[in-house]
Amino acid sequence: MALVNYAKKEIQFKIVFYGPGMCGKTTNLQIIHDKVPAKSKGKMASLATSQDRTLFFDFLPLKSSVIEGFVTKFQMYTVPGQVKYNSTRKLVLRNCDGVVFVADSQLSKAQENIESLKNLEENLREQNDSLDTLPLVFQYNKRDLPGIAPVQYLDFTLNNRSRKVPALEACAFDGTGVVETLNSIAKFVVQDFVEKKNS
């Protein structure tokens, strides 16, 4: 749920990057952090193991456009990809305003993508939330690798909701599609906030 600070005239949104282990969630945030001008970003915190996996979360506050006289700020988090850290995933998901589901495009990772998406749905259900109403964007990452699934297959297995959810192709390693993914989820989060505020 967006935090509105009337004294500072700020609206703070929380966006969570979710997906299986080593799918590129942390790389997305690192690319965003590198591309954003220094005055528009905060310090990025990251806790990683020797295998380069996020154990807790990455946090990147990012100032954005003004709506209705308020400065919008986006706090971006990633969740750990490994199932054994599910309690941390739940903690990071709490009160989020939007989700980017980062899928690994390799065919060999298809089952991991499906299981991670089911885990996301279960964790949201526990906090009385749902992907049917929460702003959501899919990112099909690692499109540069051999043995990738066609986009139609990823849409069929992951993006088969009753509402149309944007899906973007990406190669987070070189930054392809990363900013586009951020712009897409940011737009939907702000639209969702405005619609709920005016309803």
Side-chain angles (χ1 to χ4, degrees):
M1 182 170 35
L3 294 173
V4 181
N5 185 325
Y6 290 97
K8 290 186 175 179
K9 295 195 76 74
E10 287 180 356
I11 303 170
Q12 198 169 90
F13 298 103
K14 180 179 180 180
I15 294 171
V16 175
F17 284 68
Y18 211 98
M22 306 300 283
C23 68
K25 301 178 295 294
T26 299
T27 306
N28 265 275
L29 260 64
Q30 288 168 335
I31 293 290
I32 292 166
H33 196 264
D34 288 345
K35 291 194 175 210
V36 170
K39 62 178 181 168
S40 298
K41 65 187 175 186
K43 203 171 187 179
M44 186 165 72
S46 178
L47 297 173
T49 67
S50 57
Q51 290 91 29
D52 198 32
R53 291 189 176 192
T54 307
L55 279 179
F56 194 55
F57 59 79
D58 296 315
F59 167 72
L60 173 61
L62 179 69
K63 291 182 182 175
S64 185
S65 61
V66 177
I67 50 170
E68 298 180 17
F70 283 74
V71 174
T72 55
K73 284 188 173 180
F74 296 93
Q75 295 181 334
M76 285 170 283
Y77 295 79
T78 68
V79 296
Q82 297 161 296
V83 177
K84 65 182 178 180
Y85 299 116
N86 195 46
S87 58
T88 304
R89 290 179 183 174
K90 291 178 184 180
L91 186 67
V92 173
L93 264 181
R94 192 174 296 155
N95 297 320
C96 75
D97 298 294
V99 173
V100 173
F101 187 87
V102 182
D104 189 321
S105 289
Q106 297 173 94
L107 273 167
S108 60
K109 300 292 185 178
Q111 194 56 41
E112 287 179 46
N113 289 328
I114 292 166
E115 286 169 8
S116 184
L117 184 61
K118 284 181 183 171
N119 174 259
L120 169 59
E121 291 172 321
E122 288 165 12
N123 286 342
L124 285 172
R125 200 175 305 119
E126 281 185 30
Q127 61 185 40
N128 297 317
D129 220 331
S130 167
L131 287 182
D132 294 327
T133 55
L134 193 69
L136 169 68
V137 169
F138 283 96
Q139 183 191 82
Y140 301 149
N141 193 24
K142 302 190 179 183
R143 299 303 294 170
D144 58 319
L145 297 181
I148 58 170
V151 169
Q152 295 86 342
Y153 176 80
L154 293 165
D155 279 340
F156 178 75
T157 56
L158 302 172
N159 192 6
N160 51 15
R161 322 204 91 60
S162 57
R163 65 183 176 128
K164 182 70 178 152
V165 176
L168 294 95
E169 295 182 67
C171 171
F173 183 74
D174 68 12
T176 304
V178 171
V179 173
E180 292 82 356
T181 301
L182 173 62
N183 288 340
S184 183
I185 191 62
K187 182 177 86 174
F188 282 108
V189 162
V190 171
Q191 279 178 351
D192 183 64
F193 173 79
V194 171
E195 284 169 13
K196 286 176 179 170
K197 184 174 171 288
N198 294 333
S199 63

